[in-house]
Amino acid sequence: MAPVVQLSSAVALLGRFPALAGVDLTVDAGEVVLLQGPNGAGKTTLLRVCAGLVPVVEGTAVVLGSDLVVDPTTVRRRVGYLGHGSGLYPDLTIAENLRFWTRAAGIDLGRADGRADSELTEVTVRLGLDGRLKDLAVARLSEGQRKRAALAVLVLRRPELWLLDEPHAGLDRAGRDLTDQLIGDAAAAGATVIMSSHELDRARSVARRMVTVAGGVITNDTISPDMISPDMISPDPISLVANDPSAPAATDPTGPGVSDG
């Protein structure tokens, strides 16, 4: 089976600055990889390259079989990228945002068979966004509630590759625990997860592999002998099986889960 991510001598620029200065990285299906390193090391740029949001100007970059040097946009509907912002429309409610952004990604939550409404309800309940909260405008939400709503979009999209930039930031302990369970559920369902975090003890409990980034290059790559802790996998997980990659996307989405929001 081909790797999910295959970068070779990859260089990416922010302006004229080489945020990635020759990265070599291979990630196989089902792995949970933690990117660690100081601020400015290139972790966010690496995640955004894998999401098709930052071009590779030298070297090679193939993600989910798509050549990102040729066309970085082709992979976007198959990955979920959660950045530092929520990417949600502030004037729309949580429920309206979930329906809008999943439809933009080619997933119809308006199917007439009733399964879509059931799926939407399941996700909002699991993320603590049910009841009257789902009908509140995003502008009225706390930072933690916005992060949960952005996570809900990602879950509903069921991407094959999860790219999480500081996913625990802005969440209380219950929210951080829930995020860890979602990561465990995604990996158990066959998805691949690459995440960055400064909460290393917590992140290491869900990641089997630790990759250190410094100065735009990978300086260390360590595989833990321990798999994801069973405590990090929900006993009643949401269906996180990836969508059929051959399904057509309605648009080139730019919301939570597919942009830096």
Side-chain angles (χ1 to χ4, degrees):
M1 180 181 295
V4 172
V5 173
Q6 181 78 67
L7 305 181
S8 180
S9 301
V11 175
L13 303 178
L14 295 181
R16 296 183 178 181
F17 176 73
L20 296 185
V23 166
D24 296 299
L25 178 66
T26 300
V27 179
D28 293 322
E31 284 197 271
V32 179
V33 179
L34 168 64
L35 302 179
Q36 56 188 7
N39 290 334
K43 302 184 301 295
T44 294
T45 301
L46 178 53
L47 290 170
R48 297 187 71 214
V49 162
C50 292
L53 297 169
V54 173
V56 172
V57 297
E58 292 182 23
T60 62
V62 178
V63 174
L64 293 168
S66 295
D67 188 336
L68 302 188
V69 176
V70 174
D71 185 357
T73 67
T74 57
V75 78
R76 291 180 186 173
R77 64 187 176 89
R78 298 176 62 188
V79 305
Y81 174 64
L82 184 66
H84 294 285
S86 72
L88 303 169
Y89 280 115
D91 295 335
L92 297 182
T93 67
I94 290 175
E96 290 168 341
N97 267 286
L98 294 181
R99 292 183 182 278
F100 178 86
W101 287 118
T102 50
R103 190 181 304 119
I107 301 167
D108 185 6
L109 290 181
R111 298 190 303 264
D113 57 15
R115 288 180 297 174
D117 286 336
S118 175
E119 185 177 5
L120 181 63
T121 299
E122 180 185 9
V123 170
T124 53
V125 169
R126 176 75 182 279
L127 273 294
L129 301 171
D130 54 326
R132 299 174 69 177
L133 186 60
K134 72 177 185 299
D135 296 318
L136 283 181
V138 166
R140 298 179 59 187
L141 302 178
S142 68
E143 180 183 0
Q145 289 167 338
R146 289 194 296 271
K147 175 63 74 67
R148 285 175 181 249
L151 281 167
V153 173
L154 189 147
V155 169
L156 284 167
R157 292 184 64 242
R158 298 190 299 278
E160 297 165 72
L161 174 60
W162 291 42
L163 301 165
L164 309 177
D165 196 355
E166 299 290 346
H168 302 108
L171 293 171
D172 58 15
R173 178 167 182 171
R176 295 194 297 270
D177 289 345
L178 176 59
T179 299
D180 292 342
Q181 283 196 344
L182 291 172
I183 292 170
D185 290 350
T192 304
V193 182
I194 306 176
M195 59 186 288
S196 70
S197 179
H198 288 296
E199 297 192 35
L200 297 182
D201 289 341
R202 174 177 288 275
R204 286 167 180 161
S205 71
V206 296
R208 180 171 181 259
R209 180 177 169 193
M210 279 67 72
V211 173
T212 303
V213 184
V217 297
I218 291 174
T219 59
N220 193 42
D221 191 339
T222 304
I223 296 178
S224 167
D226 299 321
M227 297 297 289
I228 295 173
S229 168
D231 294 338
M232 292 299 104
I233 300 177
S234 169
D236 185 25
I238 300 170
S239 175
L240 295 174
V241 177
N243 287 301
D244 180 359
S246 65
T251 64
D252 177 18
T254 55
V258 288
S259 82
D260 57 348

